[in-house]
Amino acid sequence: MLETAQDTDNDKAPPPESDRRNAPPLLTVRNVDFWYGEKQALFDVNLDVYPGEVVCLMGPSGCGKTTLLRLLNRMQDDVPGARMTGEIVFDGQDINDPKLDVVMLRRRFGWVAQKPNPFPKSVRENIAYGPRIHSIVDEGPDMDLHVEDCLRRAQAWDELKDRLGDNAIDLSGGQQQRLCIARALSIRPDMLLMDEPCASIDPIATTAIEELILELKEHVPVVIITHSMAQARRLADRVAFFHLGRLLESGPADRFFNHPKTLQTRRYLMGAFG
Ligand code: ADP
Ligand code: MG
């Protein structure tokens, strides 16, 4: 039997700004079980995400981190045989409510994948496409400003302002990933979901992206999967630690790293598995 130590009401990290102190969670995951066909991948997961914070999902490969992240914006809908029970509430709405418009829901999340995956189109078009099809920004001068703003927020403007017409696949890996972050921001998401966004880029590009995440979180909370303990220490307000599909421990990052509650977490932190 595994120990579990999930959040109680008393053990949330304080919201970063005083005016958020009483803010309700933006996202609530309650008693979620999930199956791929016969195979159960998540067991009774409970997690909250508050405005203004970075939540790091950690744990050994195959423990269900990506599965959970993909559930949050209903990307698992596309997987045949996928089935969930429990409840996920985003901004007061049950995301599985049959009346909910899934396209609108997905638009509220920015998604950044492990491997940079820009469209094989111009830098500008990578950013302009989403806002154009969702009628968020008009094409023309407004879009030029929006493209600039998104690239600035992704700390990529200085490097890319003279390359707006270049094909994105000709950029370096780090530039591509920042472009993908700019693209994720372009639809004005309410939450960013990042699945090991620094796994395939170099340390300097990683530092730039970490700084960016810390800046962005004030306006857009971030749920990020990372295998890097150092990265989680730098970024996380709260950590959720998974093992074999169960959320074993979640709570403030300080406590997670300094006073882990479960044996599995202690072993993971000591590098005994992972
Ligand atoms: P993590 O991201 O923590 O490495 P995943 O969420 O990708 O783990 O996977 C959790 C479990 O679900 C693993 O056992 C994996 O093999 C399984 N799994 C992931 N995706 C699928 C899928 N599309 N179909 C069937 N099983 C899957
Ligand atoms: Mg994964």
Side-chain angles (χ1 to χ4, degrees), residues 122-169:
S122 72
V123 167
R124 185 185 187 282
E125 181 61 10
N126 266 271
I127 298 169
Y129 177 76
R132 189 165 60 235
I133 61 159
H134 290 298
S135 306
I136 296 173
V137 179
D138 291 336
E139 194 41 88
D142 285 353
M143 189 66 83
D144 291 337
L145 285 173
H146 186 61
V147 167
E148 175 173 344
D149 180 52
C150 294
L151 284 171
R152 281 192 191 280
R153 291 179 72 198
Q155 300 189 4
W157 174 249
D158 289 342
E159 275 168 78
L160 298 184
K161 64 176 186 288
D162 298 322
R163 302 187 63 182
L164 296 179
D166 290 8
N167 196 312
I169 56 177

Side-chain angles (χ1 to χ4, degrees), residues 53-168:
E53 70 175 1
V54 176
V55 175
C56 280
L57 309 185
M58 303 194 75
S61 291
C63 65
K65 304 179 296 293
T66 299
T67 297
L68 177 65
L69 205 66
R70 289 170 50 90
L71 270 178
L72 302 182
N73 65 347
R74 295 210 20 201
M75 276 162 73
Q76 303 288 27
D77 287 14
D78 308 334
V79 178
R83 184 164 71 85
M84 180 195 126
T85 61
E87 190 178 52
I88 300 176
V89 176
F90 180 64
D91 197 16
Q93 266 184 319
D94 175 355
I95 68 158
N96 293 305
D97 183 338
K99 294 194 290 287
L100 188 97
D101 179 343
V102 180
V103 175
M104 288 301 286
L105 176 81
R106 288 185 182 159
R107 215 194 88 183
R108 300 190 63 190
F109 292 91
W111 180 271
V112 180
Q114 181 167 346
K115 210 167 160 286
N117 57 354
F119 309 130
K121 299 234 158 112
S122 72
V123 167
R124 185 185 187 282
E125 181 61 10
N126 266 271
I127 298 169
Y129 177 76
R132 189 165 60 235
I133 61 159
H134 290 298
S135 306
I136 296 173
V137 179
D138 291 336
E139 194 41 88
D142 285 353
M143 189 66 83
D144 291 337
L145 285 173
H146 186 61
V147 167
E148 175 173 344
D149 180 52
C150 294
L151 284 171
R152 281 192 191 280
R153 291 179 72 198
Q155 300 189 4
W157 174 249
D158 289 342
E159 275 168 78
L160 298 184
K161 64 176 186 288
D162 298 322
R163 302 187 63 182
L164 296 179
D166 290 8
N167 196 312

Side-chain angles (χ1 to χ4, degrees), residues 30-50:
R30 280 290 166 265
N31 306 117
V32 165
D33 293 292
F34 178 82
W35 292 260
Y36 292 109
E38 296 291 295
K39 184 189 151 58
Q40 187 164 0
L42 293 175
F43 298 81
D44 195 27
V45 171
N46 290 279
L47 184 71
D48 292 326
V49 180
Y50 284 81

